[in-house]
Amino acid sequence: MNPLTYAEENYLKAIYHLSEGGKKGVSTNDISGEMKTKPASVSDMLRKLGDKAVIEYRKYYGVHITEEGKKIALQTIRKHRLWEVFLVEKLKFSWDEVHEVADELEHIKSGILIQRLDEYLGFPKFDPHGDPIPDEYGDVRSRPRIPLNELELHSAGQIVAVKDSSAAFLRYLDKVGAYIGARIKVTDKVEFDGSIEILVDNKKSIFMSKDVAGNILVMQ
């Protein structure tokens, strides 16, 4: 099989995420929305990916990623998240600045470079946004986590990840003082609109809308 192009790797990564790790089929409309492109362009790309045996597509059943496709997608995700760790920890980027840069770096093909990068960083298990980093074999370390808005009143936990990694959302979290690793406790829940109040590190109270809290993942 010829190596995938940057665009093909981006599509494959999107299909992997949309399929929840390969557990379900994905519609072309979902892919079109994720990639922000026209359905006709998606169809052209799916034919190319199908020819390279990294996906299977059957009308009415959606797009399914193959085992080889999963392997490539996970290695691309691994590179992306390792580069994010490097950018934040070593080059002092903020967590809202790294995504686009890592999108470019994830396509570097050198396997030995990524092995050395992983070793240099101390074999991190999670990226700056709390997402697990696949190991060199594609295994992913998961941990139980729930959206903050599902935490019961007076329950405590720790912020471990975010669902929304857009720069605007991350800057908002920086502004209010919510960060990965923070210990939190739900001190109030508003029945009317689902907004909540949390206590961060036993010293700072933050009010959050239901949407914001739903995009923060916590571990109890």
Side-chain angles (χ1 to χ4, degrees):
M1 182 185 73
N2 293 327
L4 269 62
T5 66
Y6 290 6
E8 289 168 344
E9 286 185 347
N10 286 336
Y11 266 86
L12 194 62
K13 186 173 68 169
I15 292 168
Y16 177 83
H17 284 309
L18 289 169
S19 68
E20 298 178 1
K23 297 176 184 176
K24 65 177 185 178
V26 181
S27 73
T28 54
N29 286 337
D30 286 341
I31 299 170
S32 176
E34 179 72 13
M35 300 302 296
K36 298 180 176 58
T37 190
K38 297 178 181 179
S41 298
V42 173
S43 297
D44 289 342
M45 179 58 74
L46 294 182
R47 280 194 288 272
K48 294 176 183 178
L49 294 175
D51 289 342
K52 293 186 176 182
V54 293
I55 65 157
E56 296 175 346
Y57 175 65
R58 287 195 299 159
K59 198 171 183 179
Y60 307 121
Y61 289 90
V63 179
H64 292 266
I65 192 166
T66 66
E67 288 302 314
E68 180 62 22
K70 287 181 191 178
K71 178 181 176 182
I72 295 171
L74 283 165
Q75 288 307 308
T76 305
I77 292 167
R78 167 177 164 78
K79 289 184 284 185
H80 182 102
R81 293 176 179 172
L82 283 172
W83 283 119
E84 286 192 334
V85 175
F86 175 77
L87 291 167
V88 169
E89 291 190 358
K90 305 303 179 182
L91 299 188
K92 307 306 178 186
F93 280 70
S94 61
W95 68 337
D96 61 283
E97 296 175 323
V98 296
H99 187 71
E100 290 185 1
V101 181
D103 270 344
E104 298 179 20
L105 294 169
E106 70 184 26
H107 300 294
I108 293 174
K109 303 298 184 184
S110 173
I112 188 64
L113 173 62
I114 301 306
Q115 289 177 8
R116 296 283 175 83
L117 178 65
D118 193 16
E119 181 180 2
Y120 175 66
L121 295 171
F123 306 103
K125 302 300 182 186
F126 300 93
D127 73 8
H129 310 111
D131 291 316
I133 299 173
D135 67 17
E136 61 182 313
Y137 306 107
D139 293 327
V140 182
R141 176 185 176 184
S142 61
R143 54 186 175 186
R145 55 195 193 175
I146 62 171
L148 175 53
N149 63 317
E150 293 182 12
L151 208 60
E152 297 291 336
L153 181 62
H154 304 308
S155 294
Q158 183 178 30
I159 297 176
V160 295
V162 291
K163 292 171 66 176
D164 183 348
S165 59
S166 67
F169 184 69
L170 298 178
R171 284 194 295 268
Y172 170 78
L173 294 185
D174 281 338
K175 183 177 180 179
V176 300
Y179 62 94
I180 302 296
R183 299 295 306 180
I184 58 95
K185 182 177 181 180
V186 178
T187 55
D188 192 21
K189 301 192 81 168
V190 180
E191 182 179 358
F192 174 69
D193 61 1
S195 59
I196 66 172
E197 181 181 11
I198 63 171
L199 183 65
V200 179
D201 294 333
N202 291 316
K203 58 185 179 182
K204 181 178 181 179
S205 290
I206 300 175
F207 288 94
M208 289 182 172
S209 70
K210 181 180 179 180
D211 286 343
V212 168
N215 276 296
I216 296 174
L217 299 174
V218 298
M219 182 172 63
Q220 291 181 280

